[in-house]
Amino acid sequence: MITDTSRKPQHFSLDEVPLDGVVRPKGRDIVIEPGPGGQPRLNRLDYEIYVLQSLGERLRTKAVWIEGATRCCNPDQDLPQDFDDRKEQYFQDIGQPLEADLFVERLKGDLITALDVFDRDLPSNKDVVLKSRSGKTRISLKPPEAQDDLAMLDALKEELTRRWPMTRLLDVLGEVDLRIGLTKSFPTAGARQTLSGDEVSRRLLLALHGIGTTIGLKAVAAGPYNVTYKELLYIRQRFIHKNALRAATRAIADATNRIRATDIRGDGSSSYASDSTQFASWDQNLMTELHQRYGGRGVMIYWHVDAKATCIHSQLKQVSSSEVASMIEGVLHHGTDLEIDRQFVDTHSQSVVGFAFCYLPGFELMPRFKGIARQKLVRALPKPERTHPNPDPLFAPKPINWDLITRHYDAMIKLAAALKQRTAEQEAILRRFIRGQPAKVTRCLRLFWNSAKQPGRSSCANTSVTKVCAARSILA
């Protein structure tokens, strides 16, 4: 079709080119049109558009790959090549047992316990109600009530304003440098350095202040700092780069966590939240895309923050890229000394496969479900063996196929190891599980997810629901 330029028919017969797997059933009315004598035929132009769309989808999910390519390479290259030789080490690194039967039995026991607790507590839980709508039983949650402000919060704000009424951000940045040596995280990209260390630190703080507040280097150079725009631009080009900024972020997060008063703030948070923010960018930027929900063109910054609002990781991403992949990247590779065991996200940062790859490395995904009324439960055992009368209308017809999980247990661990070892981009690994891909591991992960679904508060904060959300991670 592409190489033959001598003959370009406007139509194809139905037996001349393949139709299944290229044109979706809903689009066949557009491609197929009546020909002479009423015989159906394919419109060449419409068919070629569907061919390109189908090729793009398969390249994106790596159902089709290109030899020698980097992004569209063979999907086997995304996985650890020495997995068979170092199998025990990879299982130990993930924190899962080597035997699939042990893993399944533990997961089955956790799920049965969580379902029993949910069944027992559902009648007395005033926040979760089962309502019948249009002949279907759905989950209904009571909206949370607003919490009262802390008694001393207003007095604390007044005292802070009285002691430090006009504290500038630049002064705060300088204090951070004095305490933890922030500017030492920014080595020069050149072979040598002629400026003194104190002068480099001073200019670095000014450049970071201009970039971080978006006022720009020229506005900083126009201030009373005895520095020119070219000098700040030199610092920007030689010292400020991605790895240095991430090292500085890690140093600030670790220092903040160490200095916290445990009698006031506790022993340290292990729960973190993540979300993305849209920023406008030039149309010439190759990462700029139109956001369908928020409107306007731009890029996204995906943040990971702890319960006390300290940012531990951030990453630049395209609007259309997966928030689930960004969430997993931040949790597994934030680089700080903090350990994450629970990650709170919104609806867009969770998925069936995302739950699986959060459970395997050992942290719980805690999303807010926008469509929690449509969630279904899956039985760990057939109904005759284990009954749960209170949430019975919420269960799917079939129980979990534990044998399928057992057979593909090694494949799931291999994929989890690839995410943790960064043998490929997080999104490249998750894309192979896009709906419609006929992969047995995908079916296994989806079963694992559906097995553990359980209603509760929209953030899955209830005890029984938390355990179920953790269990459903692998059954996606």
Side-chain angles (χ1 to χ4, degrees):
M1 290 171 53
I2 297 178
T3 59
D4 185 8
T5 58
S6 61
R7 175 178 174 271
K8 293 184 177 180
Q10 296 299 316
H11 300 88
F12 295 112
S13 62
L14 293 181
D15 57 354
E16 189 175 355
V17 294
L19 193 63
D20 294 335
V22 178
V23 182
R24 297 179 179 178
K26 293 183 179 180
R28 295 188 179 183
D29 294 339
I30 301 175
V31 178
I32 301 176
E33 59 184 38
Q39 295 294 327
R41 61 183 182 178
L42 299 178
N43 184 287
R44 178 193 178 97
L45 179 61
D46 294 335
Y47 180 78
E48 289 182 350
I49 292 176
Y50 274 100
V51 169
L52 293 176
Q53 290 179 347
S54 179
L55 178 62
E57 292 176 358
R58 282 160 174 75
L59 283 173
R60 184 168 177 262
T61 58
K62 293 193 176 182
V64 175
W65 65 87
I66 303 173
E67 292 292 343
T70 301
R71 182 178 294 272
C72 300
C73 63
N74 188 333
D76 292 338
Q77 298 178 10
D78 294 339
L79 305 177
Q81 301 300 307
D82 58 348
F83 182 81
D84 294 334
D85 298 333
R86 303 172 54 197
K87 187 175 180 179
E88 293 185 6
Q89 183 175 348
Y90 278 112
F91 273 81
Q92 185 177 1
D93 186 39
I94 297 298
Q96 299 297 343
L98 192 62
E99 296 80 9
D101 293 336
L102 294 178
F103 173 80
V104 170
E105 288 301 322
R106 184 184 64 185
L107 180 62
K108 185 188 297 186
D110 292 343
L111 181 57
I112 292 174
T113 302
L115 289 175
D116 290 342
V117 173
F118 181 67
D119 180 36
R120 182 194 64 200
D121 295 343
L122 183 60
S124 60
N125 193 337
K126 298 180 181 180
D127 296 328
V128 182
V129 181
L130 302 185
K131 294 184 177 180
S132 179
R133 297 177 183 175
S134 303
K136 297 181 179 180
T137 303
R138 299 180 179 271
I139 305 171
S140 178
L141 300 181
K142 179 183 177 180
E145 298 179 357
Q147 296 181 350
D148 297 332
D149 292 337
L150 298 177
M152 297 298 295
L153 185 59
D154 293 336
L156 179 61
K157 291 180 179 180
E158 293 177 359
E159 182 63 20
L160 290 175
T161 303
R162 186 188 67 80
R163 291 192 182 187
W164 301 286
M166 294 296 293
T167 303
R168 301 181 304 168
L169 290 177
L170 188 58
D171 295 334
V172 175
L173 196 61
E175 184 68 20
V176 172
D177 185 38
L178 291 175
R179 288 176 177 267
I180 66 172
L182 177 66
T183 54
K184 295 180 180 179
S185 302
F186 295 87
T188 178
R192 60 190 182 88
Q193 175 181 325
T194 57
L195 292 173
S196 64
D198 293 340
E199 183 63 20
V200 170
S201 298
R202 189 180 74 89
R203 295 182 185 181
L204 260 173
L205 295 178
L206 291 172
L208 291 173
H209 175 66
I211 296 172
T213 58
T214 69
I215 64 175
L217 300 182
K218 290 185 178 180
V220 175
Y225 304 116
N226 191 24
V227 65
T228 65
Y229 169 69
K230 289 187 176 181
E231 291 173 343
L232 294 179
L233 185 61
Y234 173 83
I235 294 294
R236 167 68 179 86
Q237 294 173 345
R238 289 297 186 97
F239 291 88
I240 302 177
H241 47 84
K242 181 177 68 174
N243 293 334
L245 288 170
R246 286 187 172 174
T249 301
R250 291 193 294 265
I252 294 175
D254 291 337
T256 303
N257 184 62
R258 289 192 301 266
I259 203 173
R260 283 174 175 167
T262 56
D263 55 338
I264 298 177
R265 298 178 177 266
D267 295 333
S269 174
S270 58
S271 302
Y272 296 82
S274 59
D275 201 357
S276 60
T277 305
Q278 183 183 12
F279 286 86
S281 59
W282 297 105
D283 290 343
Q284 292 85 347
N285 191 325
L286 296 179
M287 296 189 66
T288 299
E289 292 179 344
L290 178 65
H291 203 295
Q292 296 181 356
R293 286 190 296 120
Y294 299 151
R297 294 182 173 273
V299 296
M300 305 295 288
I301 303 295
Y302 198 83
W303 313 92
H304 283 75
V305 297
D306 73 348
K308 306 300 186 297
T310 300
C311 178
I312 64 172
H313 190 269
S314 63
Q315 50 192 309
L316 174 66
K317 62 187 290 289
Q318 290 179 300
V319 170
S320 60
S321 60
S322 171
E323 291 194 13
V324 178
S326 301
M327 178 271 298
I328 295 177
E329 167 70 19
V331 173
L332 296 180
H333 306 292
H334 55 84
T336 67
D337 296 335
L338 306 173
E339 294 186 2
I340 300 177
D341 61 9
R342 288 182 297 173
Q343 183 68 28
F344 291 86
V345 298
D346 59 3
T347 302
H348 303 285
S349 296
Q350 60 83 27
S351 70
V352 168
V353 179
F355 268 94
F357 290 115
C358 291
Y359 180 87
L360 287 173
F363 68 93
E364 299 179 10
L365 183 60
M366 314 290 285
R368 300 187 305 271
F369 284 110
K370 184 177 181 180
I372 194 171
R374 299 188 297 270
Q375 299 299 314
K376 285 290 184 181
L377 304 180
V378 181
R379 300 181 188 275
L381 298 173
K383 187 174 181 180
E385 300 181 22
R386 197 85 173 192
T387 59
H388 300 90
N390 292 315
D392 187 73
L394 301 176
F395 283 103
K398 296 182 179 180
I400 301 171
N401 187 350
W402 297 104
D403 292 336
L404 184 62
I405 299 174
T406 302
R407 291 198 302 270
H408 298 285
Y409 177 60
D410 286 359
M412 292 189 291
I413 296 296
K414 193 173 184 179
L415 291 166
L419 291 173
K420 195 166 185 179
Q421 298 295 330
R422 276 183 169 172
T423 57
E425 295 181 358
Q426 313 285 341
E427 189 167 1
I429 297 176
L430 296 181
R431 276 178 179 174
R432 62 177 69 190
F433 299 103
I434 291 178
R435 182 175 297 178
Q437 298 305 311
K440 293 184 178 180
V441 178
T442 303
R443 290 179 54 212
C444 178
L445 291 174
R446 290 187 183 280
L447 281 172
F448 184 25
W449 152 270
N450 292 327
S451 68
K453 281 188 179 180
Q454 194 166 136
R457 300 214 56 85
S458 57
S459 62
C460 294
N462 287 355
T463 303
S464 59
V465 179
T466 300
K467 294 180 180 179
V468 170
C469 287
R472 78 190 190 182
S473 345
I474 297 197
L475 297 169

